[in-house]
Amino acid sequence: MDLQDSLFAAADSGSYPSHVLSWGLGADSTAILLRWLHEPASRDFALDDLLVITAHTGDEYPSTLRDSEEVVLPALRAHGVRLVQVGRNRRNTTAAGDGITVFSDTSAPERLYANDGYALSDEHLGSATLPQLASRRCSARAKGAALDPVIARLTAGLPYRHYLGFETGEIRRAQRDSAYNTAVRQGVYPLLVWDWSRTDVLSYLRSVTGREWQKSACYQCPFQFSSKAGFAAAMERYRREPESGARALYLEAVSVCFNPKQGLLSAGRLIDAVRAAELTEVLQLFETRIAANEHGLYEVRRVAQARSGGTPLIARCVRQLGRGSATDLGAALLQQAGDIVTGADGITRVIRRHRGTEVPWAEHFYVVAPSSAVADKARAGFEAMFASVTRPDLTLI
């Protein structure tokens, strides 16, 4: 049901939650929730006043979903705690809730609707891009943008506490979140109140669930590779959950066709790391996915212009010229006009205009990608930008 058409239980009953927990399925928020259920003295409110809400990205690791369904959902049912599950049904959403779906609103949840909406990977694949380590834009789009309108609707403009799972190693994140407090919304961070570190969280979950709780993350999230320990943990997780690793490699492979400078690691490509780790099953599943997919032949143009602040403005135009098998499109690629170049990444491109080394620059090439799902797209004003670099003598009206 779309948010705009949903009839929530709160509206029917006239009762609105004054305590809202954002449950991200990971260790921190799960520890808060389970402690509240098992130790009533750890909270100062009744469970009838609690709303647990989660936003699905569509790309969560299966082990996290399994543990959440097997451990947390039965506990919510046993205590009659209300769980609302939301997510996007298209790329763009609005503050009013357009583009957001409420998958479930119940105090007796039986399953997680983790794969029922528009996934982050759908967005990445459609635009041939990857999540960036420099920002948490993915989280803001897939989680924050989906949660905020629903919470606003369910609390009906009345004051509420918004609980988030920031532990002692994340004080700065809690400080940033507190800047969003209003007369209605008050951010509260139970783990900081309890002085719990990540170690404390994992120890508690181990004691009450008997499980080593896994980190919640999208399988393609670059943040999981951002530290030496995180990188090692991610490689081991791919070893245990090879399909997740193969899906991450596939997204990287598609994006690299359109931009050789892209990759899921801050330095280098994920596929090189997977090969070095000898994750044979991941590579086999990845190659099977590549072979099974319909391919696309694309024209790609990109332009960079200087702007104030030092960071250039870069725009791209993508146009699909055909779709079919890799063999047929490979032959069609070689019929395009330009220089045939096979890069260090092993990808053959026919280049009509080579990228410059200084701004302004423009590039123009053709490439075959292992996906026919990349959408035609151009930034507004792209043609004028491209012409200003490639034809500087042209007067544009």
Side-chain angles (χ1 to χ4, degrees), residues 8 17 21 31 42 74 91 96 113 129 262 283 310 331 359 370 388:
F8 295 105
L21 171 67
S42 67
R91 175 171 180 156
Y113 293 78
T129 58
Q262 290 199 100
L283 293 169
V359 177
S388 70

Side-chain angles (χ1 to χ4, degrees), residues 62-376:
S63 59
T64 298
L65 300 176
R66 178 202 64 213
D67 290 345
S68 297
E69 288 188 329
E70 293 179 358
V71 174
V72 181
L73 296 195
L76 292 176
R77 292 196 300 269
H79 290 83
V81 175
R82 183 182 182 189
L83 172 65
V84 173
Q85 302 180 57
V86 304
R88 295 187 297 170
N89 57 48
R90 62 174 185 254
R91 175 171 180 156
N92 295 318
T93 62
T94 69
D98 295 312
I100 300 167
T101 296
V102 177
F103 301 120
S104 175
D105 180 353
T106 179
S107 58
E110 294 289 343
R111 73 179 182 93
L112 294 174
Y113 293 78
N115 301 309
D116 286 37
Y118 179 81
L120 266 173
S121 56
D122 295 330
E123 179 177 340
H124 294 144
L125 186 59
S127 59
T129 58
L130 292 172
Q132 300 298 310
L133 190 60
S135 72
R136 294 184 179 270
R137 186 178 300 174
C138 284
S139 180
R141 289 175 65 85
K143 292 191 174 184
L147 291 172
D148 291 346
V150 180
I151 293 174
R153 176 74 66 86
L154 293 176
T155 55
L158 299 175
Y160 69 95
R161 295 183 191 174
H162 190 189
Y163 300 91
L164 295 103
F166 298 134
E167 34 85 0
T168 55
E170 299 177 308
I171 293 177
R172 291 185 63 183
R173 292 187 66 188
Q175 291 171 337
R176 287 196 296 269
D177 177 80
S178 66
Y180 294 99
N181 286 340
T182 66
V184 173
R185 185 260 188 193
Q186 178 187 0
V188 182
Y189 321 106
L191 297 178
L192 295 181
V193 174
W194 302 338
D195 196 30
W196 279 19
S197 66
R198 182 72 174 184
T199 300
D200 295 322
V201 166
L202 296 176
S203 177
Y204 175 77
L205 288 173
R206 191 180 305 115
S207 69
V208 298
T209 71
R211 304 187 185 203
E212 297 293 334
W213 209 266
Q214 299 295 306
K215 182 179 178 64
S216 172
C218 293
Y219 58 79
Q220 74 275 28
C221 181
F223 285 95
Q224 65 187 320
F225 312 119
S226 59
S227 69
K228 185 175 180 179
F231 176 82
M235 292 298 103
E236 182 56 33
R237 198 163 192 183
Y238 283 165
R239 190 183 303 278
R240 297 193 308 269
E241 303 178 56
E243 181 59 35
S244 294
R247 293 173 69 184
L249 290 184
Y250 177 67
L251 289 180
E252 182 181 69
V254 173
S255 70
V256 166
C257 292
F258 295 82
N259 184 356
K261 296 184 177 296
Q262 290 199 100
L264 280 170
L265 303 184
S266 58
R269 300 262 170 78
L270 178 61
I271 192 166
D272 295 325
V274 169
R275 285 170 176 156
E278 298 182 344
L279 301 182
T280 304
E281 189 172 359
V282 174
L283 293 169
Q284 290 175 340
L285 289 171
F286 164 64
E287 291 166 359
T288 298
R289 181 181 289 266
I290 292 287
N293 271 18
E294 182 180 54
H295 286 50
L297 173 61
Y298 297 93
E299 178 188 39
V300 181
R301 290 181 294 157
R302 188 176 283 105
V303 61
Q305 288 185 330
R307 62 178 174 181
S308 60
T311 303
L313 174 63
I314 300 178
R316 187 185 71 174
C317 175
V318 172
R319 185 166 65 101
Q320 187 179 100
L321 304 180
R323 57 175 63 190
S325 70
T327 300
D328 291 343
L329 293 183
L333 172 66
L334 299 181
Q335 299 303 310
Q336 307 302 315
D339 299 332
I340 301 173
V341 178
T342 299
D345 51 20
I347 298 172
T348 298
R349 300 174 180 85
V350 175
I351 302 178
R352 293 193 64 174
R353 185 184 183 94
H354 290 267
R355 180 172 181 161
T357 58
E358 296 182 357
V359 177
W361 54 257
E363 65 177 347
H364 185 180
F365 63 87
Y366 302 93
V367 68
V368 173
S371 171
S372 60
V374 180
D376 287 5

Side-chain angles (χ1 to χ4, degrees), residues 8-22:
F8 295 105
D12 295 336
S13 66
S15 175
Y16 303 94
S18 54
H19 301 271
V20 179
L21 171 67
S22 286

